[in-house]
Amino acid sequence: MAKYPVVAVVGATGAVGREMLKTLEQRDFPAKEVRAFASARSKGTRLPFKDTELVVEELKEDSFKGIDLALFSAGGSTSKKFAPLAAQQGCVVVDNSSAWRMEKDIPLVVPEVNPEDLHWHKGIIANPNCSTIQMVVVLKPLHDVAKIKRVVVSTYQAVSGTGQKAIQELENQVRQIFNMQEVEKKVYPHQIAFNCLPHIDVFLENDYTKEEMKMVLETQKIMHAPEIKVTATTVRVPVFYGHSESVNVEFFNKITAKEARAILSQAPGVKVLDNPRENIYPLAIYAAGEDDTFVGRIREDDTVEHGLNMWIVADNLRKGAALNAVQIAELLLIKELIRVP
Ligand code: A2P
């Protein structure tokens, strides 16, 4: 009889954690048992899973006894403390926070791009930043053909990327504005309703935000291409689900928009939606709840020798977080890179 791992979702009550449970269920992930963990605040909360409910347990230092695989999405400080404890106990961690992504001996994996990196994991695998994942899924097949020189990206990121509290904040602010009440700001430094904030994560010494530098450094690590130049402006917009990106790519070799469309229509995890005359292009509201990364508005940039512009959209909670993590877990099982009792 096949043996399946005991799986934990850490941060199960959060926006990504809930999506992880949904994704495990939808993909019928072969688990012996699924357990849900969060902070003491959520102990006893019931979360729907398959035809039953999971009772949320408080995450503690000894929580990983008997757990073979843990999907973490509970913030960087929780990961820093608990992921090594889990790994020491033989549990493999797929971590959605930014805590481990740039560590040399920790693989940062997008299954469509660099699945081979899973082979050198030492117990922790990092799930990349949401904006980076959807961009590299599209860039990799183009890079393989025409070699990328430089990328200029601007993002339009949904509030769900900040978590459950930010979803609530946008909802509350819209209601407050329509009721002519004062707008409450708790999560973001400025009103997010009917506004765009060029500020995601903290500002660094170089005046970029941490989110912008994640896009630069993670892209180079995942694609094994430190020579690719990437510059990013990341913007929070009043959208609930789905990140959109305007991406300008300069290549070393010739590639036409038509060739790019043909390559991307064969690329794993990518769907080309590109018929502007019929008003067909990727949109966040339609990408929400979908697994694919959508690309459209593919057109040549005549200001450089070999350049393309494109518009890339994906569900940030699914491909940008939960789905990518579950796909990593599936590969770990298939490649037998995980302990199964
Ligand atoms: P809780 O709901 O008990 O606070 P989001 O990103 O949507 O804000 O979700 C964050 C997730 O991380 C939630 O499930 C939250 O649990 C969990 N979390 C936050 N801090 C801790 C902690 N110290 N230990 C365990 N889980 C935590």
Side-chain angles (χ1 to χ4, degrees):
M1 206 177 103
K3 290 180 175 172
Y4 297 141
V6 176
V7 178
V9 173
V10 176
T13 51
V16 172
R18 285 169 192 267
E19 201 64 36
M20 282 171 164
L21 288 174
K22 204 159 106 186
T23 308
L24 289 170
E25 177 174 343
Q26 286 172 345
R27 294 172 74 89
D28 207 10
F29 185 86
K32 186 172 165 201
E33 188 190 353
V34 175
R35 290 168 63 185
F37 292 90
S39 77
R41 291 179 291 273
S42 304
K43 191 177 168 189
T45 302
R46 291 175 175 271
L47 297 172
F49 185 71
K50 297 197 170 170
D51 46 10
T52 173
E53 280 181 331
L54 303 179
V55 180
V56 175
E57 302 169 60
E58 178 185 352
L59 184 67
K60 291 188 186 152
E61 289 175 12
D62 61 357
S63 292
F64 297 97
K65 224 180 271 169
I67 291 175
D68 307 302
L69 171 71
L71 307 180
F72 270 59
S73 191
S77 55
T78 306
S79 288
K80 275 270 182 220
K81 180 173 172 195
F82 288 96
L85 285 176
Q88 275 160 23
Q89 292 173 55
C91 168
V92 176
V93 173
V94 181
D95 179 45
N96 191 50
S97 80
S98 61
W100 306 102
R101 291 181 189 149
M102 294 316 297
E103 298 289 325
K104 270 207 171 70
D105 58 350
I106 293 190
L108 180 67
V109 175
V110 177
E112 292 86 346
V113 178
N114 61 333
E116 67 281 5
D117 286 342
L118 287 176
H119 288 273
W120 49 268
H121 88 77
K122 296 181 180 64
I124 302 175
I125 295 134
N127 206 38
N129 170 259
C130 43
S131 310
T132 309
I133 293 177
Q134 66 184 67
M135 185 169 79
V136 296
V137 163
V138 172
L139 291 186
K140 177 64 167 45
L142 301 177
H143 180 63
D144 288 345
V145 171
K147 201 162 188 312
I148 294 173
K149 188 193 270 186
R150 179 170 184 252
V151 178
V152 182
V153 53
S154 299
T155 68
Y156 306 68
Q157 298 184 219
V159 294
S160 53
T162 314
Q164 207 68 262
K165 287 192 184 98
I167 298 173
Q168 200 58 55
E169 177 142 312
L170 174 57
E171 219 175 288
N172 290 345
Q173 289 184 355
V174 170
R175 218 174 269 125
Q176 286 157 352
I177 289 166
F178 279 110
N179 289 316
M180 291 196 276
Q181 292 167 338
E182 198 182 328
V183 167
E184 271 178 5
K185 290 166 287 193
K186 289 186 192 150
V187 177
Y188 299 115
H190 302 281
Q191 177 185 316
I192 181 65
F194 309 108
N195 203 4
C196 299
L197 309 180
H199 176 182
I200 300 184
D201 210 329
V202 295
F203 281 101
L204 302 173
E205 273 195 0
N206 64 0
D207 290 340
Y208 281 80
T209 61
K210 198 169 166 197
E211 184 82 353
E212 287 159 353
M213 292 315 294
K214 284 177 204 165
M215 292 198 78
V216 175
L217 301 170
E218 292 182 22
T219 297
Q220 293 167 339
K221 179 170 175 176
I222 298 163
M223 291 182 54
H224 301 163
E227 72 284 0
I228 295 181
K229 292 180 176 142
V230 182
T231 187
T233 303
T234 57
V235 182
R236 190 71 69 191
V237 296
V239 166
F240 284 108
Y241 303 101
H243 287 357
S244 307
E245 297 174 346
S246 160
V247 185
N248 175 268
V249 193
E250 188 179 351
F251 297 87
F252 282 102
N253 303 313
K254 187 169 187 295
I255 181 166
T256 64
K258 194 173 167 203
E259 283 162 351
R261 256 179 238 118
I263 292 162
L264 292 172
S265 63
Q266 301 296 316
V270 175
K271 198 163 190 176
V272 177
L273 284 183
D274 200 12
N275 188 354
R277 267 144 216 92
E278 300 289 331
N279 301 333
I280 292 170
Y281 31 72
L283 290 174
I285 54 167
Y286 301 132
E290 298 288 327
D291 286 351
D292 284 321
T293 294
F294 299 91
V295 59
R297 299 295 323 279
I298 302 168
R299 61 212 191 274
E300 283 148 39
D301 170 11
D302 297 331
T303 65
V304 290
E305 199 178 356
H306 307 300
L308 291 176
N309 278 307
M310 59 193 88
W311 179 248
I312 301 171
V313 181
D315 184 327
N316 53 299
L317 295 184
R318 283 187 80 84
K319 186 55 189 166
L323 172 65
N324 199 74
V326 172
Q327 286 175 316
I328 289 173
E330 289 169 350
L331 279 184
L332 288 169
L333 264 187
I334 293 167
K335 291 170 180 272
E336 298 182 359
L337 294 168
I338 180 181
R339 169 190 78 185
V340 181

PDB file of all heavy atoms in Angstrom, residues 7-13 16-21 24 34-38 47 49 54 56-57 59 67 69-73 326:
ATOM      1  N   VAL A   7       1.029  16.012   6.664  1.00  0.00           N
ATOM      2  CA  VAL A   7       1.302  17.369   6.177  1.00  0.00           C
ATOM      3  C   VAL A   7       0.760  18.399   7.170  1.00  0.00           C
ATOM      4  O   VAL A   7      -0.365  18.259   7.670  1.00  0.00           O
ATOM      5  CB  VAL A   7       0.624  17.586   4.796  1.00  0.00           C
ATOM      6  CG1 VAL A   7       0.863  19.006   4.284  1.00  0.00           C
ATOM      7  CG2 VAL A   7       1.140  16.562   3.784  1.00  0.00           C
ATOM      8  N   ALA A   8       1.568  19.443   7.429  1.00  0.00           N
ATOM      9  CA  ALA A   8       1.094  20.547   8.266  1.00  0.00           C
ATOM     10  C   ALA A   8       1.020  21.820   7.432  1.00  0.00           C
ATOM     11  O   ALA A   8       1.886  22.057   6.587  1.00  0.00           O
ATOM     12  CB  ALA A   8       2.054  20.773   9.430  1.00  0.00           C
ATOM     13  N   VAL A   9      -0.013  22.619   7.661  1.00  0.00           N
ATOM     14  CA  VAL A   9      -0.054  23.972   7.103  1.00  0.00           C
ATOM     15  C   VAL A   9       0.129  24.921   8.281  1.00  0.00           C
ATOM     16  O   VAL A   9      -0.674  24.925   9.216  1.00  0.00           O
ATOM     17  CB  VAL A   9      -1.378  24.246   6.354  1.00  0.00           C
ATOM     18  CG1 VAL A   9      -1.461  25.708   5.927  1.00  0.00           C
ATOM     19  CG2 VAL A   9      -1.490  23.334   5.133  1.00  0.00           C
ATOM     20  N   VAL A  10       1.208  25.683   8.237  1.00  0.00           N
ATOM     21  CA  VAL A  10       1.525  26.606   9.334  1.00  0.00           C
ATOM     22  C   VAL A  10       1.147  28.026   8.895  1.00  0.00           C
ATOM     23  O   VAL A  10       1.658  28.524   7.896  1.00  0.00           O
ATOM     24  CB  VAL A  10       3.033  26.525   9.696  1.00  0.00           C
ATOM     25  CG1 VAL A  10       3.379  27.554  10.766  1.00  0.00           C
ATOM     26  CG2 VAL A  10       3.396  25.119  10.139  1.00  0.00           C
ATOM     27  N   GLY A  11       0.228  28.627   9.652  1.00  0.00           N
ATOM     28  CA  GLY A  11      -0.356  29.906   9.226  1.00  0.00           C
ATOM     29  C   GLY A  11      -1.662  29.634   8.494  1.00  0.00           C
ATOM     30  O   GLY A  11      -2.062  30.373   7.596  1.00  0.00           O
ATOM     31  N   ALA A  12      -2.325  28.552   8.922  1.00  0.00           N
ATOM     32  CA  ALA A  12      -3.498  28.047   8.187  1.00  0.00           C
ATOM     33  C   ALA A  12      -4.687  28.999   8.192  1.00  0.00           C
ATOM     34  O   ALA A  12      -5.559  28.909   7.327  1.00  0.00           O
ATOM     35  CB  ALA A  12      -3.920  26.693   8.771  1.00  0.00           C
ATOM     36  N   THR A  13      -4.721  29.922   9.160  1.00  0.00           N
ATOM     37  CA  THR A  13      -5.859  30.851   9.223  1.00  0.00           C
ATOM     38  C   THR A  13      -5.643  32.086   8.351  1.00  0.00           C
ATOM     39  O   THR A  13      -6.540  32.904   8.192  1.00  0.00           O
ATOM     40  CB  THR A  13      -6.081  31.329  10.677  1.00  0.00           C
ATOM     41  OG1 THR A  13      -4.820  31.795  11.181  1.00  0.00           O
ATOM     42  CG2 THR A  13      -6.595  30.212  11.566  1.00  0.00           C
ATOM     43  N   VAL A  16      -2.971  33.162   2.702  1.00  0.00           N
ATOM     44  CA  VAL A  16      -2.269  32.125   1.928  1.00  0.00           C
ATOM     45  C   VAL A  16      -2.514  30.742   2.527  1.00  0.00           C
ATOM     46  O   VAL A  16      -2.729  29.766   1.805  1.00  0.00           O
ATOM     47  CB  VAL A  16      -0.748  32.432   1.852  1.00  0.00           C
ATOM     48  CG1 VAL A  16       0.009  31.273   1.214  1.00  0.00           C
ATOM     49  CG2 VAL A  16      -0.510  33.714   1.057  1.00  0.00           C
ATOM     50  N   GLY A  17      -2.511  30.658   3.866  1.00  0.00           N
ATOM     51  CA  GLY A  17      -2.732  29.371   4.529  1.00  0.00           C
ATOM     52  C   GLY A  17      -4.055  28.738   4.126  1.00  0.00           C
ATOM     53  O   GLY A  17      -4.132  27.543   3.823  1.00  0.00           O
ATOM     54  N   ARG A  18      -5.096  29.541   4.085  1.00  0.00           N
ATOM     55  CA  ARG A  18      -6.416  29.025   3.671  1.00  0.00           C
ATOM     56  C   ARG A  18      -6.357  28.531   2.226  1.00  0.00           C
ATOM     57  O   ARG A  18      -6.951  27.514   1.872  1.00  0.00           O
ATOM     58  CB  ARG A  18      -7.485  30.124   3.792  1.00  0.00           C
ATOM     59  CG  ARG A  18      -7.892  30.397   5.230  1.00  0.00           C
ATOM     60  CD  ARG A  18      -8.746  31.649   5.347  1.00  0.00           C
ATOM     61  NE  ARG A  18      -8.879  32.048   6.738  1.00  0.00           N
ATOM     62  CZ  ARG A  18      -9.887  31.671   7.538  1.00  0.00           C
ATOM     63  NH1 ARG A  18     -10.849  30.914   7.077  1.00  0.00           N
ATOM     64  NH2 ARG A  18      -9.914  32.066   8.791  1.00  0.00           N
ATOM     65  N   GLU A  19      -5.632  29.274   1.390  1.00  0.00           N
ATOM     66  CA  GLU A  19      -5.503  28.887  -0.019  1.00  0.00           C
ATOM     67  C   GLU A  19      -4.681  27.597  -0.140  1.00  0.00           C
ATOM     68  O   GLU A  19      -4.925  26.774  -1.017  1.00  0.00           O
ATOM     69  CB  GLU A  19      -4.843  30.036  -0.785  1.00  0.00           C
ATOM     70  CG  GLU A  19      -5.058  30.033  -2.274  1.00  0.00           C
ATOM     71  CD  GLU A  19      -6.502  30.221  -2.721  1.00  0.00           C
ATOM     72  OE1 GLU A  19      -7.252  30.973  -2.080  1.00  0.00           O
ATOM     73  OE2 GLU A  19      -6.870  29.581  -3.733  1.00  0.00           O
ATOM     74  N   MET A  20      -3.727  27.422   0.775  1.00  0.00           N
ATOM     75  CA  MET A  20      -2.929  26.179   0.763  1.00  0.00           C
ATOM     76  C   MET A  20      -3.829  24.981   1.043  1.00  0.00           C
ATOM     77  O   MET A  20      -3.739  23.951   0.362  1.00  0.00           O
ATOM     78  CB  MET A  20      -1.817  26.249   1.820  1.00  0.00           C
ATOM     79  CG  MET A  20      -0.633  27.093   1.390  1.00  0.00           C
ATOM     80  SD  MET A  20       0.508  27.351   2.774  1.00  0.00           S
ATOM     81  CE  MET A  20       1.967  27.901   1.886  1.00  0.00           C
ATOM     82  N   LEU A  21      -4.708  25.128   2.038  1.00  0.00           N
ATOM     83  CA  LEU A  21      -5.625  24.023   2.355  1.00  0.00           C
ATOM     84  C   LEU A  21      -6.526  23.725   1.162  1.00  0.00           C
ATOM     85  O   LEU A  21      -6.751  22.573   0.790  1.00  0.00           O
ATOM     86  CB  LEU A  21      -6.475  24.373   3.586  1.00  0.00           C
ATOM     87  CG  LEU A  21      -5.742  24.363   4.931  1.00  0.00           C
ATOM     88  CD1 LEU A  21      -6.659  24.862   6.054  1.00  0.00           C
ATOM     89  CD2 LEU A  21      -5.219  22.958   5.268  1.00  0.00           C
ATOM     90  N   LEU A  24      -4.472  21.972  -1.557  1.00  0.00           N
ATOM     91  CA  LEU A  24      -4.209  20.563  -1.218  1.00  0.00           C
ATOM     92  C   LEU A  24      -5.454  19.724  -1.495  1.00  0.00           C
ATOM     93  O   LEU A  24      -5.380  18.624  -2.040  1.00  0.00           O
ATOM     94  CB  LEU A  24      -3.825  20.429   0.266  1.00  0.00           C
ATOM     95  CG  LEU A  24      -2.452  20.957   0.683  1.00  0.00           C
ATOM     96  CD1 LEU A  24      -2.325  20.982   2.206  1.00  0.00           C
ATOM     97  CD2 LEU A  24      -1.330  20.103   0.083  1.00  0.00           C
ATOM     98  N   VAL A  34      -3.762  15.829   7.260  1.00  0.00           N
ATOM     99  CA  VAL A  34      -3.397  17.245   7.145  1.00  0.00           C
ATOM    100  C   VAL A  34      -3.728  17.912   8.471  1.00  0.00           C
ATOM    101  O   VAL A  34      -4.828  17.740   9.000  1.00  0.00           O
ATOM    102  CB  VAL A  34      -4.143  17.936   5.981  1.00  0.00           C
ATOM    103  CG1 VAL A  34      -3.852  19.440   5.964  1.00  0.00           C
ATOM    104  CG2 VAL A  34      -3.733  17.319   4.644  1.00  0.00           C
ATOM    105  N   ARG A  35      -2.744  18.658   9.028  1.00  0.00           N
ATOM    106  CA  ARG A  35      -2.983  19.361  10.285  1.00  0.00           C
ATOM    107  C   ARG A  35      -2.782  20.858  10.076  1.00  0.00           C
ATOM    108  O   ARG A  35      -1.978  21.270   9.250  1.00  0.00           O
ATOM    109  CB  ARG A  35      -2.048  18.823  11.378  1.00  0.00           C
ATOM    110  CG  ARG A  35      -2.453  17.404  11.783  1.00  0.00           C
ATOM    111  CD  ARG A  35      -1.402  16.738  12.638  1.00  0.00           C
ATOM    112  NE  ARG A  35      -1.184  17.428  13.914  1.00  0.00           N
ATOM    113  CZ  ARG A  35      -0.226  17.074  14.778  1.00  0.00           C
ATOM    114  NH1 ARG A  35       0.589  16.062  14.504  1.00  0.00           N
ATOM    115  NH2 ARG A  35      -0.076  17.725  15.912  1.00  0.00           N
ATOM    116  N   ALA A  36      -3.536  21.661  10.818  1.00  0.00           N
ATOM    117  CA  ALA A  36      -3.509  23.117  10.645  1.00  0.00           C
ATOM    118  C   ALA A  36      -2.942  23.767  11.904  1.00  0.00           C
ATOM    119  O   ALA A  36      -3.383  23.462  13.020  1.00  0.00           O
ATOM    120  CB  ALA A  36      -4.919  23.634  10.388  1.00  0.00           C
ATOM    121  N   PHE A  37      -1.968  24.679  11.719  1.00  0.00           N
ATOM    122  CA  PHE A  37      -1.363  25.395  12.845  1.00  0.00           C
ATOM    123  C   PHE A  37      -1.453  26.899  12.622  1.00  0.00           C
ATOM    124  O   PHE A  37      -1.390  27.382  11.496  1.00  0.00           O
ATOM    125  CB  PHE A  37       0.113  25.005  12.996  1.00  0.00           C
ATOM    126  CG  PHE A  37       0.330  23.591  13.421  1.00  0.00           C
ATOM    127  CD1 PHE A  37       0.451  22.578  12.477  1.00  0.00           C
ATOM    128  CD2 PHE A  37       0.394  23.261  14.771  1.00  0.00           C
ATOM    129  CE1 PHE A  37       0.642  21.259  12.872  1.00  0.00           C
ATOM    130  CE2 PHE A  37       0.589  21.944  15.172  1.00  0.00           C
ATOM    131  CZ  PHE A  37       0.713  20.936  14.224  1.00  0.00           C
ATOM    132  N   ALA A  38      -1.580  27.627  13.715  1.00  0.00           N
ATOM    133  CA  ALA A  38      -1.530  29.100  13.678  1.00  0.00           C
ATOM    134  C   ALA A  38      -1.086  29.561  15.060  1.00  0.00           C
ATOM    135  O   ALA A  38      -0.581  28.749  15.861  1.00  0.00           O
ATOM    136  CB  ALA A  38      -2.884  29.677  13.286  1.00  0.00           C
ATOM    137  N   LEU A  47     -11.477  24.973  10.407  1.00  0.00           N
ATOM    138  CA  LEU A  47     -11.306  25.338   9.008  1.00  0.00           C
ATOM    139  C   LEU A  47     -11.824  24.202   8.135  1.00  0.00           C
ATOM    140  O   LEU A  47     -11.480  23.033   8.378  1.00  0.00           O
ATOM    141  CB  LEU A  47      -9.821  25.576   8.692  1.00  0.00           C
ATOM    142  CG  LEU A  47      -9.140  26.730   9.441  1.00  0.00           C
ATOM    143  CD1 LEU A  47      -7.640  26.718   9.179  1.00  0.00           C
ATOM    144  CD2 LEU A  47      -9.734  28.069   9.005  1.00  0.00           C
ATOM    145  N   PHE A  49     -12.087  21.440   5.431  1.00  0.00           N
ATOM    146  CA  PHE A  49     -11.127  20.691   4.608  1.00  0.00           C
ATOM    147  C   PHE A  49     -11.788  19.391   4.174  1.00  0.00           C
ATOM    148  O   PHE A  49     -12.205  18.595   4.993  1.00  0.00           O
ATOM    149  CB  PHE A  49      -9.844  20.401   5.389  1.00  0.00           C
ATOM    150  CG  PHE A  49      -8.788  19.744   4.538  1.00  0.00           C
ATOM    151  CD1 PHE A  49      -8.128  20.464   3.551  1.00  0.00           C
ATOM    152  CD2 PHE A  49      -8.480  18.400   4.697  1.00  0.00           C
ATOM    153  CE1 PHE A  49      -7.176  19.855   2.743  1.00  0.00           C
ATOM    154  CE2 PHE A  49      -7.518  17.790   3.902  1.00  0.00           C
ATOM    155  CZ  PHE A  49      -6.867  18.526   2.926  1.00  0.00           C
ATOM    156  N   LEU A  54     -10.833  20.978   9.999  1.00  0.00           N
ATOM    157  CA  LEU A  54      -9.592  20.837  10.753  1.00  0.00           C
ATOM    158  C   LEU A  54      -9.678  21.776  11.945  1.00  0.00           C
ATOM    159  O   LEU A  54     -10.131  22.919  11.804  1.00  0.00           O
ATOM    160  CB  LEU A  54      -8.385  21.219   9.898  1.00  0.00           C
ATOM    161  CG  LEU A  54      -8.194  20.454   8.589  1.00  0.00           C
ATOM    162  CD1 LEU A  54      -6.965  20.972   7.857  1.00  0.00           C
ATOM    163  CD2 LEU A  54      -8.066  18.956   8.848  1.00  0.00           C
ATOM    164  N   VAL A  56      -7.722  24.062  14.384  1.00  0.00           N
ATOM    165  CA  VAL A  56      -6.411  24.715  14.380  1.00  0.00           C
ATOM    166  C   VAL A  56      -5.699  24.489  15.710  1.00  0.00           C
ATOM    167  O   VAL A  56      -6.285  24.653  16.781  1.00  0.00           O
ATOM    168  CB  VAL A  56      -6.559  26.229  14.101  1.00  0.00           C
ATOM    169  CG1 VAL A  56      -5.210  26.938  14.217  1.00  0.00           C
ATOM    170  CG2 VAL A  56      -7.178  26.451  12.721  1.00  0.00           C
ATOM    171  N   GLU A  57      -4.416  24.094  15.598  1.00  0.00           N
ATOM    172  CA  GLU A  57      -3.593  23.870  16.779  1.00  0.00           C
ATOM    173  C   GLU A  57      -2.625  25.042  16.938  1.00  0.00           C
ATOM    174  O   GLU A  57      -2.238  25.669  15.955  1.00  0.00           O
ATOM    175  CB  GLU A  57      -2.772  22.572  16.611  1.00  0.00           C
ATOM    176  CG  GLU A  57      -3.629  21.336  16.376  1.00  0.00           C
ATOM    177  CD  GLU A  57      -2.792  20.134  15.951  1.00  0.00           C
ATOM    178  OE1 GLU A  57      -1.909  19.713  16.719  1.00  0.00           O
ATOM    179  OE2 GLU A  57      -3.027  19.627  14.841  1.00  0.00           O
ATOM    180  N   LEU A  59       0.859  26.669  17.245  1.00  0.00           N
ATOM    181  CA  LEU A  59       2.213  26.279  16.835  1.00  0.00           C
ATOM    182  C   LEU A  59       3.153  26.370  18.032  1.00  0.00           C
ATOM    183  O   LEU A  59       3.264  27.416  18.673  1.00  0.00           O
ATOM    184  CB  LEU A  59       2.703  27.212  15.715  1.00  0.00           C
ATOM    185  CG  LEU A  59       4.071  26.858  15.130  1.00  0.00           C
ATOM    186  CD1 LEU A  59       4.014  25.529  14.385  1.00  0.00           C
ATOM    187  CD2 LEU A  59       4.572  27.960  14.215  1.00  0.00           C
ATOM    188  N   ILE A  67       5.409  14.919  11.847  1.00  0.00           N
ATOM    189  CA  ILE A  67       5.017  15.619  10.610  1.00  0.00           C
ATOM    190  C   ILE A  67       6.154  15.502   9.589  1.00  0.00           C
ATOM    191  O   ILE A  67       7.314  15.715   9.909  1.00  0.00           O
ATOM    192  CB  ILE A  67       4.650  17.087  10.908  1.00  0.00           C
ATOM    193  CG1 ILE A  67       3.351  17.075  11.715  1.00  0.00           C
ATOM    194  CG2 ILE A  67       4.487  17.901   9.626  1.00  0.00           C
ATOM    195  CD1 ILE A  67       2.897  18.398  12.193  1.00  0.00           C
ATOM    196  N   LEU A  69       5.981  16.865   6.243  1.00  0.00           N
ATOM    197  CA  LEU A  69       6.058  17.985   5.306  1.00  0.00           C
ATOM    198  C   LEU A  69       5.252  19.149   5.879  1.00  0.00           C
ATOM    199  O   LEU A  69       4.118  18.965   6.317  1.00  0.00           O
ATOM    200  CB  LEU A  69       5.432  17.539   3.973  1.00  0.00           C
ATOM    201  CG  LEU A  69       5.211  18.595   2.908  1.00  0.00           C
ATOM    202  CD1 LEU A  69       6.532  19.041   2.311  1.00  0.00           C
ATOM    203  CD2 LEU A  69       4.314  18.049   1.798  1.00  0.00           C
ATOM    204  N   ALA A  70       5.860  20.337   5.907  1.00  0.00           N
ATOM    205  CA  ALA A  70       5.130  21.501   6.431  1.00  0.00           C
ATOM    206  C   ALA A  70       5.159  22.629   5.417  1.00  0.00           C
ATOM    207  O   ALA A  70       6.228  22.979   4.895  1.00  0.00           O
ATOM    208  CB  ALA A  70       5.754  21.960   7.747  1.00  0.00           C
ATOM    209  N   LEU A  71       3.992  23.167   5.115  1.00  0.00           N
ATOM    210  CA  LEU A  71       3.895  24.338   4.250  1.00  0.00           C
ATOM    211  C   LEU A  71       3.715  25.530   5.181  1.00  0.00           C
ATOM    212  O   LEU A  71       2.730  25.609   5.913  1.00  0.00           O
ATOM    213  CB  LEU A  71       2.693  24.217   3.300  1.00  0.00           C
ATOM    214  CG  LEU A  71       2.610  22.939   2.462  1.00  0.00           C
ATOM    215  CD1 LEU A  71       1.363  22.968   1.573  1.00  0.00           C
ATOM    216  CD2 LEU A  71       3.855  22.770   1.609  1.00  0.00           C
ATOM    217  N   PHE A  72       4.684  26.442   5.164  1.00  0.00           N
ATOM    218  CA  PHE A  72       4.673  27.594   6.071  1.00  0.00           C
ATOM    219  C   PHE A  72       4.193  28.842   5.351  1.00  0.00           C
ATOM    220  O   PHE A  72       4.699  29.179   4.284  1.00  0.00           O
ATOM    221  CB  PHE A  72       6.092  27.911   6.547  1.00  0.00           C
ATOM    222  CG  PHE A  72       6.549  27.214   7.802  1.00  0.00           C
ATOM    223  CD1 PHE A  72       6.591  25.834   7.877  1.00  0.00           C
ATOM    224  CD2 PHE A  72       6.977  27.949   8.901  1.00  0.00           C
ATOM    225  CE1 PHE A  72       7.053  25.194   9.026  1.00  0.00           C
ATOM    226  CE2 PHE A  72       7.435  27.328  10.053  1.00  0.00           C
ATOM    227  CZ  PHE A  72       7.474  25.945  10.115  1.00  0.00           C
ATOM    228  N   SER A  73       3.258  29.572   5.952  1.00  0.00           N
ATOM    229  CA  SER A  73       2.980  30.936   5.507  1.00  0.00           C
ATOM    230  C   SER A  73       2.508  31.732   6.718  1.00  0.00           C
ATOM    231  O   SER A  73       1.331  32.066   6.849  1.00  0.00           O
ATOM    232  CB  SER A  73       1.942  30.962   4.387  1.00  0.00           C
ATOM    233  OG  SER A  73       1.927  32.270   3.837  1.00  0.00           O
ATOM    234  N   VAL A 326       2.453  23.981  -3.159  1.00  0.00           N
ATOM    235  CA  VAL A 326       1.914  22.615  -3.280  1.00  0.00           C
ATOM    236  C   VAL A 326       2.568  21.892  -4.468  1.00  0.00           C
ATOM    237  O   VAL A 326       2.862  20.697  -4.385  1.00  0.00           O
ATOM    238  CB  VAL A 326       0.368  22.633  -3.392  1.00  0.00           C
ATOM    239  CG1 VAL A 326      -0.178  21.246  -3.705  1.00  0.00           C
ATOM    240  CG2 VAL A 326      -0.245  23.168  -2.091  1.00  0.00           C
TER     241      VAL A 326
END
